[in-house]
Amino acid sequence: MNKKEFKNLLNKKILILDGATGTELQKYNFLEGVSTPEELNIKFPERIQKIYSAYIDGGSDIILANTFGANRLKLSQYKLDTKIKEIINAGVSVAKEEAKRTNSFVAGDISSVGSYIYPLGNVSFDDVYGAFKEQAQILSDSGCDLIIIETMTEIKELKTAILAVKDVCDLPVIAQMSFTKEGTTVTGTDILSFISMAESLGADAIGMNCSVGPKTLLEFAKFMSENTNLPISFKPNAGMPQYINRQTVFPGTSEEFVNVCLQAYNYGINMFGGCCGTNPEYIKLLSDKLKNKPPVIRKKVSHHLLSSRTKAIDLNLLNKPIKIGERINPTGRKKFQAELSQNIFGLVKSEARTQAKAGADILDVNMGLPGADETKLIINAVNEIQEIVNLPLSLDSSFADALDNACKHCAGKPIINSVNGEVEKLEKILPIAKRYGTGIICLCIDEKGIPKTWQERIEIAKRILFYADKFGVKRDEMIFDYLTLAVSSMPQQVNETLRAIKESKKMFLECKTVLGISNISFGLPSRQTINSTFLKMALRAGLDLAICNPSVDWTTDDEYAKNLLLGKDINAKEYIAKYGAVVKKVISPEEERLSTQERLFYAIINGDKDYIKNLIEELLKEGIKPLTISNELILKALNVVGEKFSTKEYFLPQVIMSAEASQLAFNYIKPLLKKNNQKVAGKIVMATVEGDVHDIGKNIVCAVLESFGFEVIDLGKNVSKEKILEKAKLEHADIIGLSALMTTTMIEMEKVINLKKTLSIDSKVIVGGAPVTQEFASSIGADGYSRDAIEAAKLATELLKKN
């Protein structure tokens, strides 16, 4: 099935997807004898065939091949990576054999590799991309009709998967994410940011699956239907899973499930199916009600989205001017350049936070430093910035390699800044904008230099649009910069710039305009007076975006400056007479007004690792004791981080960065504490219990515990109770930390506790993980339960105090 056929099909009728595979396999004990569900394809194909058959008989138009985790990174955990092609081909073959009975379609199923991409995790973009690309290629070659990417919780991983699929085949792609009851993924991505990313990368449909029950997911489906023109898929669970009498129970009924789907149908949803806890009964009832019904026509949406991991903005709705913060730029700034030359990003992060607080809508990131590796610098800057502020980025470089890599590592939809009218550059950079679906700032200049007239600049804009059409870049992603030139040296050019903006708004209706404002005042006193006045004039001409410093006053509309800009003040005599004596006020950076203790405290909260060592050394010179640094500064700062996390001011990425900063600080003082026989915390053995191969959450907990001063012995995932307790006894562990992410493996926690009692091991036991609750922890005799990493650290500290 090609993309056009897929689109036509969805315009004609509602399609029914299948239901849960995993819970059905568990129900029939079909997972016995295999190390992972995908192994069924080659070891017991008749089992997975039974599941396919039941959903086909229930009315599914599309069934998902049993390839959910069939990527090299996941299969290698079971030593099955050498059989990846065999596993995928077998899974698709069985599915196609069943599907042909009713002329149904088979979707290749792709999901997470099980680890976050750096900096949230320890795998690289390229490794994850390679795994998805291999999987997508085999799925395409095996004869799948379309690809579904599902149960994604991290937007950067979803981005990698979509890119990989589109690079190897032209099959229709449905992209689905899983959301918490708050309407975000566990890494903070909201629904609009998901829409922004999926649309920009060219997904053919989007949707949501798993996570929460039908009623909560219905609210998200309504929001999604109001904010995208793409077809939408809807695959909720059969309610939120509960653990009752040692069994996983889904409280929902098929009638409740279908009633919610009928409401979603009225919102214009195009595809329906079920996730965890649903079964062929659900799909049969759903099919009877909705199959082949004509879709509800939705109102068309007109937007221009940009996004970060956790925030999307619509350029069509923001007040003008949309401010692009210009301060992340080393040009002419010696301290900035010195830091970057040492790969230090303290000022980069400080400027990012300051501009975000001052009201910037977008942050421009320029890492142009002579003699430096710009590609490496911009990758590092992007990774640092996007984890401390939630603004979309403008990636400022003239080098194609730097832009390609910056786009790759950007956890959202950015702007490329910039391309110009030189054909060679257009042919290098426009394909990058197309591949990543970015906005793009286009300078109306070419190899001949700066055009003197507005007509010449418009002609360059036409040339750029010709090549944009050639490479498939949408016109509404084009943002024209008609150049800001210094009024002190070229006063006649002010009118040419403003006229070009006016004409552009008439001729290129879909395109936006932008100017770098501060160039206008070069060489004159009271520069901000001119900048602000010029901005007012540009807005009246139709300007949409302004590259500027958001931290200064932009309310000024000065008559002297206006006369200068309009060419009425020859040689700026009147303006200089008025403002020539103005002395620029110098304001010290906030950090320089704080004490050393306060600077360390805020460095921990903000996740600034660059200054930690120097601050610790300064504190020690001031006579501050290591134990005081640990307890009064590091731990108290982490408590603030915990509060921000609990109130949703911080998400997981910020917690990780603060933990890394505090861990770095603690590592500096740890030898001094040992030297003085000062025991700060205790020893903890951590493990994901046997049968469970999920360890992302556990790894985060380990990092936070270490930042609190605990010695953590991480045994990894899928660890037997015997190994856990043997290590705890050998190390004289104060605490054993157990993690589980599946309800089916939670019971292993109780087995660890029971064996611990039998062996008379004194270690306390704390438990956690997505399905674990306080009630369950109490029922198995655990000493404590925590919902997240910060809470785990507080719990461990309290347990040791009681001890």
Side-chain angles (χ1 to χ4, degrees), residues 434-489:
K434 167 62 176 175
R435 171 173 165 75
Y436 295 100
T438 71
I440 182 163
I441 291 175
C442 310
L443 297 174
C444 292
I445 186 174
D446 59 17
E447 62 275 3
K448 296 178 183 178
I450 299 173
K452 292 182 179 181
T453 67
W454 66 265
Q455 293 95 332
E456 291 174 295
R457 296 178 198 181
I458 290 291
E459 286 303 312
I460 292 176
K462 290 179 180 178
R463 184 195 311 157
I464 293 172
L465 284 176
F466 171 82
Y467 279 92
D469 293 341
K470 175 183 176 181
F471 289 107
V473 178
K474 296 178 181 178
R475 289 198 169 200
D476 62 2
E477 299 291 1
M478 311 298 284
I479 307 169
F480 287 111
D481 185 339
Y482 289 105
L483 312 176
T484 305
L485 304 174
V487 69
S488 58
S489 58

Side-chain angles (χ1 to χ4, degrees), residues 534-545:
F534 176 63
L535 178 58
K536 299 290 190 301
M537 296 170 68
L539 287 171
R540 288 191 283 271
L543 185 72
D544 298 297
L545 299 95

Side-chain angles (χ1 to χ4, degrees), residues 11-63:
N11 285 334
K12 293 178 183 177
K13 63 180 183 179
I14 296 300
L15 296 179
I16 304 301
L17 302 165
D18 60 13
T21 298
T23 50
E24 286 296 284
L25 292 172
Q26 290 174 344
K27 181 172 72 176
Y28 293 109
N29 295 320
F30 279 177
L31 293 176
E32 290 184 1
V34 294
S35 54
T36 181
E38 291 75 22
E39 193 178 10
L40 290 170
N41 300 346
I42 57 175
K43 204 167 182 181
F44 303 110
E46 69 280 359
R47 297 181 185 177
I48 198 67
Q49 181 183 19
K50 180 175 180 178
I51 305 297
Y52 292 154
S53 180
Y55 283 126
I56 290 291
D57 292 341
S60 291
D61 297 300
I62 300 173
I63 56 172

Side-chain angles (χ1 to χ4, degrees), residues 484-519:
T484 305
L485 304 174
V487 69
S488 58
S489 58
M490 290 174 279
Q492 70 281 2
Q493 288 298 313
V494 175
N495 182 62
E496 300 298 325
T497 296
L498 297 178
R499 181 69 185 273
I501 292 173
K502 289 179 183 177
E503 297 302 324
S504 181
K505 301 303 286 186
K506 296 175 186 176
M507 300 174 68
F508 315 129
L509 298 179
E510 310 100 317
C511 307
K512 291 183 168 53
T513 57
V514 64
L515 288 176
I517 300 300
S518 61
N519 290 345

